[in-house]
Amino acid sequence: MHLAPTFEVPSMSRHPRTGDWYPAINKPAGIVHWLKHSKDADNVDWVVILDADMIIRGPITPWELGAEKGKPVAAYYGYLVGCDNILAHLHTNHSELCDKVGGLLAMHIDDLRALASMWLSKTEEVREDRAHWATNITGDIYGQGWISEMYGYSFGAAEVGLQHKINDNLMIYPGYTPREGFQPLLLHYGLPFSVGNWSFSKLEHHEDGIVYDCGRLFPEPPYPREVKLMESDPNKRRGLFLSIECINTLNEGLLLQHAANGCSKPKWSKYLSFLKSKTFAELTKPKLLTPNSIKTETANEQQVIDEPQKPHPKIHTIFSTECTPYFDWQTVGLVHSFHLSGQPGNITRLLSCTDEDLKRYAGHDLAPTHYVPSMSRHPLTGDWYPAINKPAAVLHWLNHANIDAEFIVILDADMILRGPITPWEFKAARGRPVSTPYDYLIGCDNVLAKLHTSHPEACDKVGGVIIMHIEDLRKFAMLWLHKTEEVRADKSHYATNITGDIYESGWISEMYGYSFGAAELQLRHLISREILIYPGYVPEPGVKYRVFHYGLEFKVGNWSFDKANWRDADMVNKCWAKFPDLPDPSTLDRTDEDVLQRDLLSIECGKTLNEALLLHHKKRNCPDPNSLSNSNVDTAKEAVSSRKFGRIDVSNTVRTDPVPVKHSQESSLPAATDGLFGSFRFWVIVLWAVSGLGFVAVMFTVFLGRKSKGTKGKSYRSKRRSSYSGFLDMNGRERLLHNAESSM
């Protein structure tokens, strides 16, 4: 109780009426209680509402931010897509006033009094609307209704007519790069972040009593002089400094609290000396609102605040998948990395499925999703070519979705984002898309281009990552699809020396469809080699790659990963499934710097995939791995679990020769069936015992009948045969091209 000036509020974590466990409701409930019972509420004009996981860097003064009565100031939460769809229409009569805001709120006390009870009731309303918890409706990647309180605020504010002045520069997540010229006043450490090899995630300390553990601090981050050497770009370096400022401020707070708790003075250390130094004091001195921030707010005051102008254009990221376990685990990895990367805007999965597949599909909540009819089997020719779903899905999305972004970033599912991919950094413009080099597309230089485009000289060998203006994409998408069909139908030119396809199967027709379609419109690309890298490739010194594309097999020592080996493994629905543990970076050979950097990147890619799966399983409320039965170890090992997120040697580690898993074989029975499961196990044991006794009796009889003869027995070693799928990789055609480059 001595940690802060405190006003006690009855807990509503367990809802008194419904019994629903939802601690986030305590925020609006606490505010309602404070307004009603606190004397402080009667003596203020303005209220600033923050979250606990924030660091304040300078004064937050509502009137300096531009707040007015009826027009509160708030931070931008772009992922609240429910403001734009059926969710808002269901839960507010004024969906046009729904603002995607949260985090920082600065408002007049009269506005808060009008809003508070509505905030609480709308939170209850959205929380109970389980039919609309899906990711594509709420933007909640876990589909658990956890952000109901955020929607409660936005819908409640819309109901009482509050229009926000939205400021996207006052609050930043550590790990993100701040905009030039803007000084954030709040650090919101709600997401994991890292600086070099150091990282921090608040979830790892969910049960941590560090406040009362004398002398113990969070792991010390790199020092400022080390950070200066990590990054040459001044603005990105400033982002790293914000990250270390966040954790250093937390640790300074712990030191002061330990002293207040009566702890003895800690022993001297270099880090403690730094926290008390003039350098640290200078780095953490209070920050003031910059003129740029004030100017931005003034410019926004005359606008429709629902869609505020920003210094940079809006971005939307899309990727194409199908209704298969193979694409599901890739989706989990990509979406997880998207939220860690600092990529602006929203992300949408374009999911191509047949009606029958969609009925059986269980992965609707893995990502915000736009559903697309499958074209894997071409409706006119009957040709089986799943890769055509990519241009077909993009075209469908353009024609059926409400898109407010100016630039579209197109990725593949088998990618991991490491940092933001923005048009302003990579110089994309209308009429000038940006992409990454696919040098193996030799058809741009020969008869193939002459046959399939009127402008073969404009054919660019590109693919993988695409940044394109929305108007260019609208003109181009149909051509992309048509040229894909055209090249696919041109079987007479499937030869390797024409296409670069060593299997001569026409599998890369979609890639040529893209290049030839762009050439028809004479869209010439800026080609960047600093966006994408394949794990297993040696990086260029000093390049900060933004994307891992794990379309090819890669290795670190004796460890290896090939996504094709996991085509049928149900990594998403099988509780605690993960990929093989990666080598410890400290064990790597450091004699060759190129090889070291290559291996570190490979480990980072594999680690991110496993972290994504772990977080997914935790959010699914998978049972404690220690409670799983040993009978379900076809693709598993017994788990050793720690309480800290990210440090679980999870059970059900799928082997490198995975066996397809059916949902019925999963060992993720809910707690309610423990009794049934225990009874079932009892009868299995009884049956085993009876069978054993019977076997002994039979063998004894046989022995008596042949006691004059010696019996011979053969022992057999069971061998597991691993199957090989003979068809090509559906979203990583690079595999069949990698050897082609080597052979030419």
Side-chain angles (χ1 to χ4, degrees):
M1 293 299 293
H2 67 291
L3 296 180
T6 301
F7 182 77
E8 294 183 60
V9 178
S11 173
M12 270 190 70
S13 294
R14 179 73 67 189
H15 197 283
R17 175 175 55 84
T18 66
D20 177 41
W21 177 259
Y22 182 55
I25 202 174
N26 284 310
K27 185 173 183 179
I31 288 171
V32 168
H33 195 271
W34 178 76
L35 288 170
K36 186 176 181 180
H37 297 287
S38 173
K39 294 180 180 179
D40 290 337
D42 295 328
N43 298 309
V44 297
D45 294 319
W46 295 93
V47 180
V48 176
I49 302 173
L50 305 176
D51 288 336
D53 57 344
M54 290 180 172
I55 297 294
I56 304 174
R57 307 181 71 230
I60 302 171
T61 311
W63 51 91
E64 288 186 1
L65 299 180
E68 302 176 50
K69 190 172 181 179
K71 293 182 179 181
V73 167
Y76 183 59
Y77 273 6
Y79 55 79
L80 296 179
V81 297
C83 274
D84 300 327
N85 60 36
I86 189 175
L87 200 67
H89 293 292
L90 287 171
H91 295 290
T92 173
N93 295 317
H94 302 284
S95 57
E96 74 283 356
L97 297 181
C98 185
D99 291 330
K100 303 171 185 175
V101 294
L104 161 67
L105 302 168
M107 67 174 62
H108 196 276
I109 187 69
D110 292 343
D111 293 334
L112 186 60
R113 291 189 186 280
L115 167 68
S117 60
M118 188 66 71
W119 183 359
L120 176 59
S121 65
K122 289 295 178 182
T123 298
E124 294 173 308
E125 192 178 301
V126 177
R127 178 68 181 173
E128 292 173 15
D129 184 9
R130 294 175 179 267
H132 295 94
W133 279 8
T135 302
N136 62 314
I137 295 176
T138 64
D140 177 359
I141 62 173
Y142 305 111
Q144 297 294 314
W146 191 255
I147 59 176
S148 300
E149 174 272 317
M150 297 184 186
Y151 279 114
Y153 177 86
S154 291
F155 295 159
E159 282 294 279
V160 299
L162 293 180
Q163 288 187 289
H164 295 81
K165 295 184 175 183
I166 305 174
N167 192 307
D168 203 16
N169 304 303
L170 296 173
M171 183 185 81
I172 193 171
Y173 290 90
Y176 283 28
T177 300
R179 290 173 177 164
E180 284 189 58
F182 293 93
Q183 187 69 268
L185 299 182
L186 284 174
L187 303 178
H188 191 180
Y189 55 93
L191 299 173
F193 59 99
S194 62
V195 179
N197 293 325
W198 176 93
S199 64
F200 177 81
S201 172
K202 71 172 188 176
L203 291 177
E204 293 182 358
H205 302 276
H206 198 274
E207 305 282 341
D208 197 338
I210 194 170
V211 170
Y212 310 102
D213 195 348
C214 288
R216 188 162 67 88
L217 305 177
F218 295 117
E220 64 182 70
Y223 291 94
R225 65 177 180 275
E226 297 170 329
V227 172
K228 288 180 182 179
L229 300 175
M230 292 180 183
E231 179 57 65
S232 58
D233 183 279
N235 212 44
K236 295 176 185 176
R237 189 191 308 132
R238 192 161 67 99
L240 297 179
F241 272 109
L242 288 175
S243 294
I244 65 171
E245 178 185 332
C246 178
I247 195 67
N248 285 332
T249 305
L250 277 170
N251 277 337
E252 184 186 32
L254 286 172
L255 280 175
L256 294 172
Q257 188 59 51
H258 291 163
N261 291 347
C263 295
S264 58
K265 187 177 180 180
K267 294 181 180 180
W268 182 92
S269 71
K270 179 182 176 182
Y271 182 58
L272 291 182
S273 178
F274 166 72
L275 292 181
K276 297 177 181 179
S277 68
K278 291 182 180 180
T279 300
F280 179 65
E282 181 66 22
L283 289 172
T284 56
K285 67 181 181 181
K287 307 300 186 295
L288 301 177
L289 197 65
T290 62
N292 277 347
S293 296
I294 298 172
K295 182 178 179 181
T296 301
E297 288 305 313
T298 303
N300 284 340
E301 287 177 4
Q302 303 302 321
Q303 299 169 14
V304 178
I305 306 301
D306 191 34
E307 296 296 342
Q309 286 187 352
K310 303 235 185 299
H312 295 301
K314 288 188 176 182
I315 306 173
H316 199 111
T317 303
I318 59 175
F319 66 103
S320 174
T321 73
E322 299 162 31
C323 288
T324 66
Y326 182 54
F327 278 105
D328 282 355
W329 62 256
Q330 293 176 40
T331 296
V332 169
L334 176 55
V335 172
H336 171 70
S337 69
F338 173 87
H339 290 292
L340 296 180
S341 68
Q343 175 71 358
N346 298 319
I347 188 169
T348 297
R349 170 180 61 165
L350 310 182
L351 184 63
S352 300
C353 300
T354 65
D355 290 341
E356 288 303 311
D357 286 340
L358 204 57
K359 291 176 183 177
R360 298 188 296 267
Y361 185 62
H364 298 281
D365 61 346
L366 298 181
T369 301
H370 176 80
Y371 296 91
V372 182
S374 174
M375 270 191 68
S376 294
R377 179 75 66 189
H378 197 283
L380 298 179
T381 67
D383 177 40
W384 177 258
Y385 183 53
I388 201 173
N389 283 310
K390 185 175 181 178
V394 171
L395 182 62
H396 191 278
W397 178 69
L398 289 170
N399 287 323
H400 293 84
N402 294 320
I403 305 165
D404 63 354
E406 187 175 342
F407 281 90
I408 309 300
V409 176
I410 305 175
L411 305 176
D412 286 337
D414 57 342
M415 290 181 174
I416 294 293
L417 274 168
R418 305 179 70 233
I421 306 168
T422 61
W424 51 88
E425 180 177 358
F426 293 100
K427 312 303 181 187
R430 186 169 183 178
R432 192 73 166 174
V434 169
S435 192
T436 50
Y438 272 9
D439 295 330
Y440 48 76
L441 296 179
I442 60 174
C444 274
D445 300 327
N446 60 36
V447 66
L448 200 65
K450 294 175 182 177
L451 286 170
H452 294 291
T453 173
S454 303
H455 302 284
E457 73 285 353
C459 184
D460 291 328
K461 303 172 187 175
V462 294
V465 175
I466 299 160
I467 311 171
M468 186 176 287
H469 194 278
I470 184 68
E471 296 306 322
D472 291 335
L473 189 59
R474 291 189 189 281
K475 294 177 183 177
F476 163 69
M478 182 67 78
L479 273 171
W480 184 4
L481 176 59
H482 285 172
K483 290 296 178 182
T484 298
E485 295 173 308
E486 190 179 302
V487 177
R488 178 70 179 172
D490 184 8
K491 296 180 183 290
S492 63
H493 292 94
Y494 276 8
T496 302
N497 64 321
I498 295 176
T499 63
D501 177 359
I502 61 172
Y503 296 103
E504 302 184 345
S505 64
W507 195 256
I508 59 176
S509 300
E510 175 272 317
M511 297 184 184
Y512 279 115
Y514 177 89
S515 291
F516 295 160
E520 281 297 280
L521 295 177
Q522 293 186 291
L523 283 175
R524 299 309 303 267
H525 295 74
L526 288 172
I527 303 175
S528 174
R529 296 184 180 273
E530 298 188 355
I531 297 177
L532 179 148
I533 189 171
Y534 290 89
Y537 280 34
V538 175
E540 289 293 325
V543 176
K544 304 293 184 182
Y545 296 100
R546 308 306 170 84
V547 173
F548 287 132
H549 192 182
Y550 53 91
L552 303 173
E553 181 183 17
F554 58 100
K555 301 178 180 180
V556 180
N558 293 326
W559 180 94
S560 67
F561 181 82
D562 186 344
K563 70 171 188 176
N565 290 338
W566 305 85
R567 180 177 296 281
D568 298 316
D570 195 351
M571 307 296 291
V572 169
N573 296 306
K574 183 77 171 178
C575 271
W576 307 120
K578 68 169 187 175
F579 300 113
D581 290 328
L582 289 100
D584 187 333
S586 64
T587 65
L588 298 178
D589 183 3
R590 298 179 180 269
T591 56
D592 187 322
E593 183 64 21
D594 285 346
V595 172
L596 174 63
Q597 294 305 318
R598 177 199 68 190
D599 290 350
L600 287 174
L601 289 177
S602 295
I603 290 173
E604 180 187 336
C605 180
K607 182 181 177 183
T608 304
L609 279 170
N610 271 341
E611 287 175 348
L613 287 169
L614 175 60
L615 186 59
H616 168 76
H617 295 311
K618 288 175 72 72
K619 292 300 182 181
R620 282 185 64 214
N621 295 319
C622 281
D624 185 338
N626 286 319
S627 69
L628 297 178
S629 167
N630 286 333
S631 63
N632 291 315
V633 293
D634 283 346
T635 59
K637 294 180 181 178
E638 188 68 12
V640 178
S641 169
S642 76
R643 297 179 65 148
K644 291 188 177 182
F645 174 83
R647 292 181 172 265
I648 298 180
D649 184 11
V650 295
S651 70
N652 298 343
T653 303
V654 187
R655 291 185 293 272
T656 55
D657 55 341
V659 179
V661 179
K662 296 181 180 179
H663 293 286
S664 60
Q665 294 173 327
E666 290 182 16
S667 56
S668 55
L669 294 173
T673 64
D674 284 349
L676 177 63
F677 182 73
S679 175
F680 174 77
R681 182 165 55 187
F682 170 78
W683 288 110
V684 169
I685 293 172
V686 170
L687 180 61
W688 176 83
V690 171
S691 300
L693 290 173
F695 177 79
V696 170
V698 171
M699 292 304 296
F700 183 73
T701 303
V702 171
F703 176 78
L704 289 178
R706 299 186 179 184
K707 58 184 177 179
S708 62
K709 299 179 180 180
T711 60
K712 295 182 179 180
K714 295 182 179 180
S715 62
Y716 296 89
R717 176 177 296 177
S718 63
K719 298 181 179 179
R720 184 178 299 275
R721 299 177 61 89
S722 62
S723 61
Y724 174 74
S725 176
F727 56 89
L728 295 173
D729 197 348
M730 290 188 184
N731 75 330
R733 280 84 71 191
E734 302 83 5
R735 157 184 318 288
L736 58 90
L737 300 161
H738 178 53
N739 291 330
E741 288 185 271
S742 302
S743 64
M744 288 187 295

